[in-house]
Every structure is written in C-alpha cells, then in structure tokens.
Amino acid sequence: MPSEDETDFRFLAENSVDIILRARLDYSIIYVSPSCLRILGYTQEEMRNAPPFSIMLPEDAPMIDEFNARGSASGTDSGTAIHKLRRKDGSLVWMEATSRQVLDPVTGKVKEYIVVLRDISERKQFEEKLAAQALTDGLTGLANRRSFDETLDREWKRTLREGSQLSLLLVDIDNFKSINDRYGHQVGDDYLRAISAALCSTVRAPDTVARYGGEEIAVILPSSASEGALKTAERLRVAIEALRLTHEGNPVGGGRVTVSIGAATALAREGGTIRMPESLLQAADHALYKAKQGGRNRVATAVLVAIRV
C-alpha cells in the first residue's frame, strides 16, 4: 500500500499542468504524469518505455549530465535547464526542466531524480520576438544600426579568417529632404519602405540590408570582390529607378526617385595597417560623397587593403 507521501505526490503530479516525472540514475523513467500526452503527445506508457534522451536533441543530451553534476556539487538541488524536446508528431517544444535529487535516507547518496518539465514555448517566442525587434528598424523592417554594427564586425572577422574580401555599399536617396517638404513625411516614409523592399529583393541571401540612418541604407556584401560589389550597386540603382516613384524635387532623375551609392571593398592581406572595419565605412562614405559630387544617381567605388590577424 502506498505511503501518504506517495499518495500526495501522485495526486499533485496527476493534476499538474506541467510534466512531473521520477527518473533513475540512468535517466530511465519510473513515473511520468498524464500531462505528457497533452504537451508531448506521448502516453505515460510510451514515455516510461522510451530510451533515455530519445526525445531530446542530440546536442542537448550532454546538458543533463552537467545539469545534475552541478546539483551533486551544490547539494540536493540540481537547478534549472532550458532545452528542446521532440513531440511525437516531430515538432519541437521548448521546455524548462527543474530537477531535484532524492537522497537515500540510509546511505545519503542520490537514488533518483524528481523532474518538473514546463512548456515555455510561448515565452521563448515572445523573447525571440523582442530580440528581433531590438535588431530591426521599426519603419522599414530592415536591420537597424545596432544589427548593422554587429553584422559588419562579425563579417569582417570571418573575412580575416578566410583571407577573403568584404564589400560595403552605402545607399543615399537623392534629395530626400525635398520629398518630405513637397509631399509630407508620410510619403517620405512610404518611399523609404518601398525602396527598402526593392533593395532586399535585389541582393543575395547572405547579404545584409540595414537602415544606417535617416535616408541612408547600408548593404553588407560578404565574400564580394570590388567587381561584384560594383555590379550589385548598379543593380540596386536600376531597381530604385524602376520603381518610378514621383520626386519633382530631383531633376537629375527626371522627376523620379533615384539613389547615389558608394561602394568600398576590403581585402584581407598580410602587411596592411588600416583600422577595420571602421575604415571600410569611411571608404564607402567617401565613395558616396564622390557619387553625389559627380552628379548623383550613380555609383562610385573605393578599395582598401587591411591586415590579416
């Protein structure tokens, strides 16, 4: 006959919205609460008969040993771990696992684990949404300045490791201020969104399009030589012209919206002394200035040589 404590445990477990289980030291399951069917799609019998770690992702399995090792070092509480489990239908669910070691009253050694598994998928989705919003420009949906800075730094480090090349484009909408003055800020915002979409649809999948500031948009082109960057910049310029957005304050575009683009390429080579990636930005900005001074609605380029570390 079960003890009063065992009866209380089973009552709590069978009425919990979380999955509660007892596991042996080899992680085979002694008991699992009925909520496993709702959360994971497995019956209690299927869970008990499943090999340890069979519904975990292989890369997460070592986490459990570390998880319990920390508990052994600190006492009876193993703490909390967050990982994914695979449902019976093959989909993945984010779980927060809280484990407590149960000690043998005679030997004082761990004899089993009590684990509470909580579905935190909605929380993770919310966290991921917040993280994405922190790196996204609210108006255009492009990467924001913070995301741009992080991406440029990461791509430059990769360029150094591979000894390859990295190109950067700075795109500026010609005479943008007069768009807001003539048509209002709402039209200016609409134009920015339309231009951003056109740029995104023209670049490669590995490229990053980011709102650099105001009407300036930056495009990071990993593993792109100067020739490729020039061709990409020209495609972008033509794509914006093809939108045929009205802009009477832009005579160089014949009353349509146009852009000027500065393109710069950094070559990872031994012996360079230029500070990167800041100098790549400066070179692209200088090239953009040349494009504007040259009459706008055009592309200008610059090339750098930087040190490989």
Side-chain angles (χ1 to χ4, degrees), residues 65-83:
D65 285 328
E66 297 171 9
F67 178 60
N68 289 311
R70 289 196 301 270
S72 297
S74 61
T76 57
D77 286 320
S78 295
T80 300
I82 294 175
H83 56 83

Side-chain angles (χ1 to χ4, degrees), residues 94-119:
W94 279 103
M95 304 296 292
E96 181 181 73
T98 304
S99 173
R100 185 176 180 87
Q101 298 175 345
V102 179
L103 305 181
D104 187 299
V106 177
T107 65
K109 295 182 178 180
V110 178
K111 68 173 185 178
E112 64 180 60
Y113 303 111
I114 301 295
V115 182
V116 178
L117 295 170
R118 174 164 294 175
D119 182 352

Side-chain angles (χ1 to χ4, degrees), residues 123-237:
R123 189 182 91 191
K124 290 294 290 185
Q125 289 171 1
F126 179 69
E127 290 172 352
E128 290 169 0
K129 182 178 179 180
L130 285 180
Q133 288 176 344
L135 296 174
T136 303
D137 177 62
L139 174 64
T140 62
L142 300 178
N144 63 13
R145 180 61 182 269
R146 174 185 168 188
S147 179
F148 167 79
D149 290 340
E150 292 176 357
T151 302
L152 184 62
D153 185 65
R154 183 174 62 251
E155 290 297 340
W156 175 242
K157 289 176 180 176
R158 187 168 70 86
T159 299
L160 290 175
R161 288 195 307 270
E162 298 176 355
S164 58
Q165 303 180 46
L166 176 66
S167 292
L168 175 67
L169 310 179
L170 286 182
V171 182
D172 186 80
I173 303 172
D174 294 328
N175 299 304
F176 182 77
K177 183 179 181 299
S178 69
I179 294 176
N180 290 329
D181 292 343
R182 284 174 177 265
Y183 309 114
H185 288 275
Q186 182 60 56
V187 172
D189 289 349
D190 289 343
Y191 278 14
L192 271 172
R193 282 190 284 263
I195 290 166
S196 298
L199 296 177
C200 288
S201 65
T202 305
V203 299
R204 308 168 303 175
D207 301 334
T208 298
V209 183
R211 190 176 181 192
Y212 188 66
E215 70 273 19
E216 283 192 356
I217 296 172
V219 184
I220 300 172
L221 306 173
S223 303
S224 179
S226 57
E227 297 83 357
L230 180 59
K231 289 178 181 178
T232 299
E234 183 59 22
R235 284 200 303 271
L236 296 179
R237 190 194 66 77

